[in-house]
Amino acid sequence: MNRPEKADPNTGLMIENYSISLSIDSGRHTYRGTEEIRFRSSSERLVLDSVDLSITDADLDGRAVKPIDARESQTVVFNCTPGKDSVLKINFNGAIPRLLTGFYLAKYGNADVFTTQFESNGARRAFPCVDHPFYKATFDLSLDIDKDLDAISNMPAKSVTESGGRKVVVFHRTPRMSTYLLYMGVGKFDSRSVRHGSTEIILAAPHGGLTSSDFPVEIAGKVLDLYGEYFGIPYMLPKLHLISVPEFGAGAMENWGAITFREIYLSIDDSTGSSNYKSIAEVIAHELAHQWFGDLVTMEWWNDLWLNESFATFMSYKIIDVIKPEWDATGDLINLRTEGALKNDALKNSHPIDATVRDPEEIAQIFDEISYGKGASILRMIEGYAGTDNFRNGIRKYLKDHEYGNARGSDLWGSIEKASGMPVSRIMEAWIRRKGYPVILATRDGNSVKLRQEQFLLDGSSTNETWPIPLTIVRESGTESVLMEDREMTIPSAGFIKLNSDFSGFYRTIYDSGLLASISASRNRLSGHDLWGLANDLYAALQSGRIPYDDYMKGIMSIWDTADPLVLQEINSQMNSIFLLKPHSKSVREAALKFASMHLERLGEKRPGEEINISIARAALSMTMSLVDDRFAAGMAEKFSRYFSIDPDIRQVVAISHARTTGDFESLKETLAKCVTDEDRTKIIGAMGWLGRPEALGKALDLIRNGQVKKQDTGRFYISAASCPDSRDFLLTNFDFMVRQLKEVFVGSRVPSRTIEATVPLIGIGREAEMRRLLQGYTSPDLQTGVKKSLEGLSVNIRMAKAIS
């Protein structure tokens, strides 16, 4: 085995097996644990991670031993004999808290569900272990629980023994895997299953929470087949659980064979909107990709987290494109993932894809748009460069070479390079080792087009950095590819249409006025992905101050008559964002109104069986229309009394319109109490952020204080309040409460930092000095990324707002 990069107190350690038995007191929310760790160490110490656990006694190879408790480093240390196969037995006690990490308590109505979230460092909160992805082991798990409860883990139950009012569930041994992939779930569950080849796929939810739709199981079965074929390795375990968790900090978690999800991703009924159908399929495909990329083959240390997340992101959209081609999942990848990564990586406080991670406190901060979106976009770019077959063959070799073990990013590039015969490693190293990305400035010069690259930054500055860019050039005769390695290059202008075919490259392009006019005139030859890229690059040029607002509007209006739903969503998002920066600008309001009304009139009312992306685009246009047209908003608000019978796609628009036009908190609270699904709950909670009046907003905040809003959903209120111009003063006044509340709930998570990052750039407009003074008080390391990036975002917004007429 290779050593992990991180300085490691357990160098030379091999763990063979954890045998863990927990006896759970469901009334007191506590448990007693016994574990045996079989290991061999080349050093004289075994260092185990342990947080909030009480070790009562231990013996090593039949000899009583006392651990050295190093609380500051969250470890316990045992002396051992080097080079010997040993067994450490530990008895310990633990509590099951109302956190969203470790082994924790989630409430479903009045019922208790005990569940786990161990990524990245939560296993140490459940049992003493070497909580490090490099140290894989097999796991034997036994759970002693109340007789009327159910238990779920990674593997099927091997035996169930009942005695009195208790029962002991013993599970089959897992494959070798990292500690963060172990799952334990205890509670009253409803479930149903289907046999899919040699795999049993089981849909599970807390009692009363299982809906009748088999859509998640159907998607999972198709995805398993396609992944098995693509990777050349069939799914490895005898069963696959898809588990709905009522309170869950993450969206989903890839525990091997026992994937957990927020309820919104598994509970499907008449209230499920079009966007959520797509999200459900993508999230399931994402977590299933991890069964190979992350579970079967795991990164050595968290600096390569992006390898897991970016690959799962890339593959999920790729595979949904095969299953549901009419959904344009690649368009969703660009719109939801690439766009977010481009925005964040244009900040000076971004980080490289391959980020330095020294300790557990830093891990959560890299679960971000760079690890997911930029990584996935780079993989898409490299697939186009190396060729789809070569790329897949390299992936297959990588997985086969490292199955049940650990690997580094360089192992993957080497495999793809061998399969393709192209300099993949050199290109990838240039993209993942440093932050940022290039913009290509394209100008026509006689019979040539001159290209010059420089770093793109949202503050308008630049650097002398250059990247090896796999360029794609769209010409009248087709698309050609070339590797741009120097700062400047020249290409023939004959038949030139544009750069970056289908927005497959992770870079921006800014054209001179003549080229932009030529591209606009040729827009009917371009794909929706090309037009999306053109629109997105125009907006980025405006944000960075590279072009004035009038030039932006001229460019965007030259293509905004498109009927492509993806492009409509992008331009609509821009109109919406500009309005929220300048809500009192007559010209901004008129531009947004003209765009939204034009397309809503063309689309008309929703028709049975229409394309899903048209339904999503109509809802987005309606949201913008409700913000800029009070009469339209009033019409939407009138539908609120029929909330549960109207089209799910417009419920968010209706709820927000109702909040804005009436300011009526009580009616929103009553509707929230009637909500059955998380999807409807989050829509109502989001609408509360638009109430505007401090008194009404205060009542909404009281729901959070009193625990009447799920912990996982509280951020929805804060982000909505930041979006609403009339709610921003209130959120600034209650900013400290927001941060403290999120830190208490999302322990070891990036959520508090991410919420700061999302809210400050809006609530700080017109309040910059006060905002900066307030943020100076947040000095803890887990918030620093969000604080720094939020202040950058605020500066960008302030400058942009001044530039808009």
Side-chain angles (χ1 to χ4, degrees):
M1 297 175 73
N2 296 319
R3 290 182 180 181
E5 291 183 358
K6 174 181 176 277
D8 177 25
N10 284 309
T11 298
L13 174 68
M14 169 74 78
I15 297 182
E16 289 295 337
N17 175 260
Y18 292 93
S19 180
I20 303 166
S21 298
L22 303 183
S23 179
I24 298 170
D25 186 330
S26 59
R28 296 181 178 179
H29 303 159
T30 59
Y31 61 95
R32 290 180 290 105
T34 299
E35 71 174 324
E36 293 185 0
I37 306 174
R38 298 182 181 276
F39 70 98
R40 172 187 285 260
S41 177
S42 62
S43 74
E44 296 181 348
R45 300 194 317 159
L46 173 64
V47 181
L48 299 181
D49 299 297
S50 178
V51 178
D52 295 334
L53 299 172
S54 174
I55 295 177
T56 56
D57 59 84
D59 76 67
L60 178 66
D61 297 328
R63 175 175 51 86
V65 292
K66 284 192 174 183
I68 304 168
D69 191 350
R71 292 189 180 276
E72 288 187 4
S73 61
Q74 300 182 343
T75 60
V76 290
V77 181
F78 293 90
N79 295 322
C80 59
T81 304
K84 179 183 177 183
D85 291 331
S86 296
V87 178
L88 175 65
K89 296 181 180 180
I90 304 173
N91 292 314
F92 60 98
N93 297 317
I96 309 175
R98 285 292 299 274
L99 299 176
L100 298 177
T101 186
F103 189 23
Y104 71 93
L105 168 64
K107 299 293 289 186
Y108 185 77
N110 294 322
D112 292 343
V113 176
F114 307 113
T115 186
T116 57
Q117 171 59 28
F118 287 164
E119 190 178 30
S120 54
N121 57 354
R124 66 191 66 187
R125 293 178 176 273
F127 60 98
C129 59
V130 181
D131 201 6
H132 187 308
F134 182 75
Y135 293 101
K136 289 190 165 186
T138 58
F139 291 81
D140 293 311
L141 178 66
S142 170
L143 297 177
D144 182 346
I145 60 178
D146 292 337
K147 186 178 178 180
D148 61 342
L149 299 181
D150 306 301
I152 301 173
S153 189
N154 307 78
M155 297 295 286
K158 182 178 181 180
S159 66
V160 179
T161 305
E162 296 184 0
S163 177
R166 306 284 293 179
K167 68 181 176 185
V168 176
V169 183
V170 179
F171 295 93
H172 284 279
R173 176 172 290 184
T174 71
R176 288 190 66 82
M177 64 184 195
S178 302
T179 49
Y180 77 89
L181 296 171
L182 183 65
Y183 179 71
M184 300 181 292
V186 175
K188 292 183 179 180
F189 293 103
D190 293 336
S191 65
R192 63 176 179 274
S193 65
V194 297
R195 174 62 60 177
H196 189 83
S198 59
T199 305
E200 185 181 15
I201 304 177
I202 307 164
L203 189 63
H207 179 62
L210 195 64
T211 58
S212 60
S213 175
D214 285 327
F215 180 74
V217 172
E218 292 167 1
I219 288 292
K222 292 175 181 178
V223 170
L224 283 180
D225 290 343
L226 289 168
Y227 280 161
E229 179 182 349
Y230 185 90
F231 296 135
I233 300 172
Y235 178 69
M236 321 83 192
L237 302 189
K239 65 92 175 171
L240 171 67
H241 260 97
L242 309 176
I243 308 161
S244 178
V245 177
E247 291 184 296
F248 194 25
M253 175 60 205
E254 65 266 22
N255 314 297
W256 208 352
I259 305 174
T260 45
F261 299 83
R262 284 195 180 187
E263 288 180 279
I264 198 170
Y265 295 123
L266 294 182
S267 299
I268 300 173
D269 60 14
D270 293 339
S271 294
T272 303
S274 299
S275 290
N276 201 41
Y277 264 106
K278 296 179 77 173
S279 296
I280 289 164
E282 186 277 320
V283 170
I284 290 172
H286 181 106
E287 301 309 322
L288 288 180
H290 277 310
Q291 307 298 291
W292 286 263
F293 233 90
D295 297 3
L296 179 67
V297 180
T298 311
M299 69 269 159
E300 288 188 358
W301 178 239
W302 295 105
N303 63 297
D304 271 329
L305 165 76
W306 76 273
L307 198 60
N308 286 2
E309 297 303 343
S310 62
F311 193 84
T313 301
F314 168 75
M315 283 303 303
S316 62
Y317 291 101
K318 182 182 181 69
I319 222 70
I320 296 301
D321 241 349
V322 176
I323 297 172
K324 295 280 189 181
E326 69 277 13
W327 284 7
D328 185 22
T330 299
D332 291 335
L333 170 63
I334 297 169
N335 192 42
L336 301 175
R337 298 296 193 173
T338 303
E339 197 278 336
L342 286 167
K343 178 182 176 181
N344 277 269
D345 209 28
L347 298 174
K348 289 182 176 178
N349 284 291
S350 182
H351 64 81
I353 292 178
D354 188 352
T356 300
V357 180
R358 299 179 182 87
D359 62 63
E361 296 302 318
E362 296 177 339
I363 298 170
Q365 301 309 311
I366 61 171
F367 280 83
D368 64 2
E369 296 85 353
I370 304 303
S371 294
Y372 287 74
K374 182 178 181 180
S377 303
I378 300 300
L379 288 172
R380 180 172 177 245
M381 184 169 70
I382 288 298
E383 182 192 40
Y385 174 70
T388 54
D389 289 343
N390 291 333
F391 184 85
R392 182 196 62 213
N393 290 338
I395 295 298
R396 287 180 172 181
K397 175 175 170 44
Y398 166 84
L399 289 172
K400 197 64 183 173
D401 287 350
H402 301 282
E403 60 183 348
Y404 301 104
N406 299 83
R408 303 183 181 190
S410 56
D411 297 319
L412 177 59
W413 317 141
S415 293
I416 298 174
E417 184 165 302
K418 287 180 182 178
S420 65
M422 304 176 82
V424 172
S425 295
R426 178 168 60 84
I427 295 172
M428 285 303 302
E429 290 298 312
W431 282 90
I432 70 172
R433 298 291 184 188
R434 52 185 165 162
K435 62 186 179 183
Y437 60 88
V439 57
I440 297 175
L441 307 177
T443 57
R444 190 183 294 275
D445 183 19
N447 294 324
S448 300
V449 176
K450 286 188 175 181
L451 309 178
R452 180 167 64 88
Q453 66 160 301
E454 58 187 47
Q455 185 177 6
F456 179 82
L457 290 164
L458 279 174
D459 69 358
S461 65
S462 189
T463 70
N464 293 323
E465 295 268 9
T466 61
W467 283 259
I469 309 173
L471 282 185
T472 49
I473 305 167
V474 182
R475 297 189 182 276
E476 294 174 358
S477 58
T479 301
E480 62 186 57
S481 300
V482 62
L483 187 64
M484 180 180 183
E485 297 195 79
D486 298 323
R487 181 170 303 282
E488 296 183 351
M489 71 180 296
T490 301
I491 60 175
S493 64
F496 175 83
I497 297 180
K498 69 179 292 289
L499 299 176
N500 205 358
S501 174
D502 286 331
F503 212 80
S504 57
F506 195 76
Y507 56 90
R508 295 202 177 280
T509 311
I510 296 178
Y511 302 93
D512 67 21
S513 58
L515 283 174
L516 183 59
S518 174
I519 295 168
S520 298
S522 302
R523 64 186 180 278
N524 291 334
R525 296 186 180 191
L526 299 176
S527 70
H529 299 170
D530 277 319
L531 288 174
W532 182 95
L534 189 63
N536 190 263
D537 282 345
L538 275 168
Y539 188 66
L542 171 66
Q543 284 183 297
S544 61
R546 288 176 178 265
I547 62 172
Y549 178 66
D550 289 346
D551 285 1
Y552 160 77
M553 285 304 301
K554 182 180 178 181
I556 210 71
M557 290 178 71
S558 73
I559 61 172
W560 80 354
D561 61 351
T562 178
D564 186 280
L566 180 72
V567 187
L568 289 183
Q569 289 181 69
E570 171 58 24
I571 299 176
N572 180 75
S573 175
Q574 295 177 18
M575 295 295 104
N576 192 306
S577 296
I578 293 171
F579 175 75
L580 293 179
L581 287 182
K582 297 276 286 192
H584 304 298
S585 167
K586 182 180 178 182
S587 63
V588 167
R589 181 183 294 267
E590 288 176 348
L593 178 61
K594 182 177 180 180
F595 174 77
S597 61
M598 171 179 66
H599 287 289
L600 284 173
E601 182 178 352
R602 179 181 59 80
L603 292 175
E605 295 295 324
K606 188 171 185 178
R607 297 174 296 278
E610 74 177 8
E611 292 182 15
I612 193 170
N613 289 334
I614 291 176
S615 299
I616 293 170
R618 182 188 293 103
L621 289 162
S622 297
M623 185 70 253
T624 295
M625 192 72 174
S626 73
L627 294 179
V628 299
D629 186 325
D630 291 340
R631 288 175 57 190
F632 185 89
M636 281 288 177
E638 288 177 359
K639 301 176 188 288
F640 187 72
S641 61
R642 310 189 308 276
Y643 180 85
F644 294 106
S645 62
I646 61 176
D647 177 12
D649 288 338
I650 64 166
R651 289 183 188 179
Q652 182 72 90
V653 182
V654 167
I656 289 176
S657 296
H658 173 75
R660 287 183 61 240
T661 58
T662 70
D664 183 3
F665 165 77
E666 293 301 329
S667 57
L668 287 168
K669 180 182 177 182
E670 290 171 8
T671 304
L672 179 63
K674 296 176 184 177
C675 290
V676 175
T677 68
D678 271 7
E679 183 170 350
D680 276 328
R681 289 188 192 98
T682 55
K683 288 173 180 175
I684 299 300
I685 293 164
M688 287 180 177
W690 288 83
L691 284 165
R693 294 186 297 106
E695 181 183 355
L697 289 164
K699 292 179 179 179
L701 196 62
D702 285 341
L703 295 181
I704 293 174
R705 284 194 177 97
N706 300 331
Q708 293 172 269
V709 172
K710 283 188 179 183
K711 293 178 174 62
Q712 67 188 31
D713 298 330
T714 53
R716 185 69 173 258
F717 171 76
Y718 302 133
I719 292 172
S720 292
S723 297
C724 176
D726 294 333
S727 299
R728 291 171 186 167
D729 282 332
F730 174 86
L731 189 57
L732 182 62
T733 301
N734 291 277
F735 194 85
D736 190 60
F737 170 81
M738 177 190 81
V739 175
R740 286 187 289 104
Q741 185 265 326
L742 292 173
K743 280 177 65 70
E744 288 172 4
V745 171
F746 294 94
V747 176
S749 165
R750 186 175 170 264
V751 170
S753 179
R754 187 173 66 221
T755 306
I756 291 174
E757 184 183 334
T759 55
V760 167
L762 289 172
I763 63 176
I765 297 173
R767 312 164 184 83
E768 184 179 9
E770 184 179 355
M771 191 78 256
R772 289 184 178 276
R773 283 196 301 271
L774 182 61
L775 290 176
Q776 287 176 358
Y778 300 114
T779 58
S780 60
D782 60 321
L783 297 180
Q784 286 308 293
T785 298
V787 168
K788 292 175 182 178
K789 291 173 75 173
S790 72
L791 288 173
E792 269 197 85
L794 175 58
S795 296
V796 169
N797 280 350
I798 290 172
R799 188 185 66 247
M800 184 175 166
K802 290 178 180 178
I804 295 172
S805 57

